Amino acid sequence: MKRQKGRFGEYGGQYVPETLMGALGELEDAYNTFRDDAGFKDELDTYLREYAGRPSRLYFAENMTRELGGARVYLKREDLNHTGSHKLNNVLGQALLARRMGKTRVIAETGAGQHGVAAATVAALLGMECEIFMGREDTRRQALNVYRMKMLGAGVREVCSGTMTLKDAVNETMREWTRRVSDTHYILGSVMGPHPFPTMVRDFQSVIGREAREQILEREGRLPAAVIACVGGGSNAIGAFYNFIGDVDVRLIGCEAAGRGLDTSEHAATIARGRVGVFHGMKSYFCQDGAGQIAPVYSISAGLDYPGIGPEHSHLHDVGRAEYVPVTDDEAVDAFYWLSRVEGIIPAIESAHAVAYARRLAGGLGTGENIIICLSGRGDKDVAAIARYMGEDIHDE
Amino acid sequence: MSKISDAFRGKKAFVAYIMAGDPSLEKTREYVIALQRAGADVIELGIPFSDPIAEGETIQAANLRAFASGTDIEGIFDMVSSLKGEIGVPLLFMTYLNPVFSYGYGAFFKRCAECGISGVIIPDLPFDESGEVTGYTAANGIELISLIAPTSRERIAHIAKQAEGFVYLVSSLGVTGARSEITTDIAALVASVREHTDIPIAVGFGVHSPQQVARIWESADGVIVGSAIVSVIVERGDAAGPFIGEYVRALTAAKRLQTK
């Protein structure tokens, strides 16, 4: 009987070239060894607390709540982590694991640059060599983050193949991993790719929901009506959802990038418009054409501009435990400005997708209820791109 | 008996790869005939994919040219069908899994059999996941070629024991494409596979010179050349036919040993 590893229903698996299978096996063994190891857990907890600044706050957004006139709105402030997003949770876990595996070099893909910055940061901290692969289109959209990564000592490789965005950065990072697998660990940035990444990354990100669940019970004495997060690959979403999956009355809502609209070809709404396929090491939903060619996708948000979604999300969708809703560029930009002005919090354009949906949802809920929005990152990186979207050039490049 | 394994019988074999539709399906048809005439024993035809993660730049570019010429899977099936009677050597498809999944496994492998395809190589379908298609390949008499890499180690026994057609031994780490030298100890790797199977072992990835071919033939049953042939097509375009033949004859000039 062959192994069927890392499955969420029919999704997941290990669809990668044979050259990588040995490394995935090693990684799985190491993860299984260390995930319950007291020394490893203590080391990770210490870095999460002292370096990342966890636990992140669950902030009661009073002004938002008042404006929306329904459920009490809470923001899980992953934007306040060191490096400005939830990505650090996963990077710390994987880099510490890689170090224990004897790896001296880490590589990573990045879209918006948040994961790349987190990886470059932790590589600097742990004294590891680091190379980040980023689509050329994204290096243009996120020039500030490119410079941050370089300041941190990482090499940044511009990827000029395909659509020159996150998908192509993943392709190139996988190719690089097959070239140099013995001393190198690939810090995959989302709950995607081949097993064990979707499980391991989810475990490292589940600190978000674990904290949020405790915090909301302490503050409100009841569970939220909904937990809302943006979804590209889906790591902040699964991290926020995971500890609520057993709480069947809590709606879990993932917000996909609908770009210029679902009726156009310019979106990245995988659940809404994709179908099942096999790509980037996993069986899951993908935006693709009728012949199984992966579709060029689009979102204003580089972090959501990805044609697939993590396999656990596909499963949660199929079994009806989570809902996935489309949010357009326009709605996200509007929410970006709105949150900035109402609460004095500039969200990442990715996270603004979740804020946008919460605006639709909150008013229809009772004032005794509450909702949690995972504010996965801060928006400083997006200021220049939003200005461009509004037709202004503030010379970021 | 396997048509693919038979192609290795009593000689050192040469396996050639080209991308279907690069620069056009009409030309691919001509080049397949040229390859057979030049002495190729097995011919692999790439099916273009949007995101070929196991390929280096040469074959990535071939994928793009195939798309640019409007190549689709039905066109490839039709072209292969049209070769019946002209091609005696086994033909294989080299394809990523998603186009096959999207076509439907049952329908895809049935069409393969109808067109005269003998086997498939699917680089993103490792042994552990091969159960995904083996019911369909077996039912249609299509052999699923297994890959073994320098990093396979304890996986070698499992993979080799179930391998069919031939074992595709990946010479080096990394993606496809010419390398100035292959540093892996090929003979040792071949021996470690040979312990577990009697089917032919062919070595590919990075092979582009007659010296490399001769060297690989010292230990392996066959050699696989892809990117280097594709480079000849890039250079010569529509007129590549004779040049491909010339190149393959030069690569195999080291004389095929008549006994194993």
Side-chain angles (χ1 to χ4, degrees), chain B residues 116-127:
Chain B
I117 289 289
S118 299
V120 291
I121 302 169
I122 307 177
D124 58 349
L125 185 69
F127 168 74

Side-chain angles (χ1 to χ4, degrees), chain B residues 67-82:
Chain B
F67 284 125
S69 74
T71 307
D72 65 14
I73 209 154
E74 288 304 336
I76 296 172
F77 280 132
D78 291 344
M79 184 271 293
V80 173
S81 289
S82 79

Side-chain angles (χ1 to χ4, degrees), chain A residues 132-361:
Chain A
I132 304 297
F133 293 78
M134 189 169 185
R136 191 167 69 185
E137 174 66 17
D138 292 337
T139 61
R140 196 186 60 77
R141 284 193 282 196
Q142 300 290 347
L144 187 71
N145 272 342
V146 174
Y147 206 75
R148 280 170 87 192
M149 291 184 276
K150 289 180 178 167
M151 288 176 81
L152 290 159
V156 179
R157 298 254 287 262
E158 271 192 18
V159 175
C160 299
S161 57
T163 49
M164 297 186 256
T165 60
L166 181 54
K167 159 184 84 92
D168 310 283
V170 174
N171 292 346
E172 212 47 52
T173 319
M174 282 196 178
R175 288 180 186 127
E176 174 62 18
W177 204 25
T178 65
R179 279 181 203 111
R180 192 167 155 188
V181 70
S182 63
D183 70 342
T184 298
H185 173 68
Y186 177 6
I187 303 184
L188 228 162
S190 193
V191 285
M192 43 153 293
H195 178 70
F197 286 107
T199 300
M200 184 174 66
V201 177
R202 177 253 280 154
D203 289 351
F204 288 139
Q205 290 295 2
S206 64
V207 64
I208 301 172
R210 197 161 55 241
E211 288 175 0
R213 195 172 183 284
E214 275 176 28
Q215 289 165 323
I216 198 73
L217 286 174
E218 195 177 306
R219 294 286 296 271
E220 292 283 325
R222 65 183 294 183
L223 289 168
V227 177
I228 305 162
C230 64
V231 181
S235 71
N236 91 85
I238 211 79
F241 293 173
Y242 191 60
N243 281 272
F244 291 100
I245 289 175
D247 304 314
V248 293
D249 293 332
V250 177
R251 289 172 65 187
L252 306 176
I253 304 173
C255 304
E256 298 192 305
R260 298 202 167 96
L262 291 187
D263 49 351
T264 73
S265 61
E266 293 179 284
H267 61 76
T270 307
I271 293 286
R273 285 289 182 268
R275 58 193 175 87
V276 178
V278 183
F279 181 52
H280 278 167
M282 58 182 173
K283 183 175 285 186
S284 197
Y285 281 84
F286 294 96
C287 293
Q288 53 186 311
D289 71 11
Q293 307 295 343
I294 303 303
V297 290
Y298 163 80
S299 164
I300 186 174
S301 149
L304 304 183
D305 196 354
Y306 180 72
I309 186 169
E312 193 164 9
H313 285 295
S314 292
H315 179 61
L316 291 173
H317 165 72
D318 276 13
V319 300
R321 179 62 191 94
E323 309 156 52
Y324 296 86
V325 297
V327 174
T328 63
D329 281 2
D330 286 347
E331 291 172 297
V333 169
D334 198 43
F336 180 94
Y337 276 99
W338 183 74
L339 187 66
S340 301
R341 288 171 188 182
V342 169
E343 291 289 349
I345 295 172
I346 301 177
I349 188 63
E350 288 78 15
S351 319
H353 286 71
V355 175
Y357 189 75
R359 292 174 77 184
R360 276 190 249 161
L361 184 73

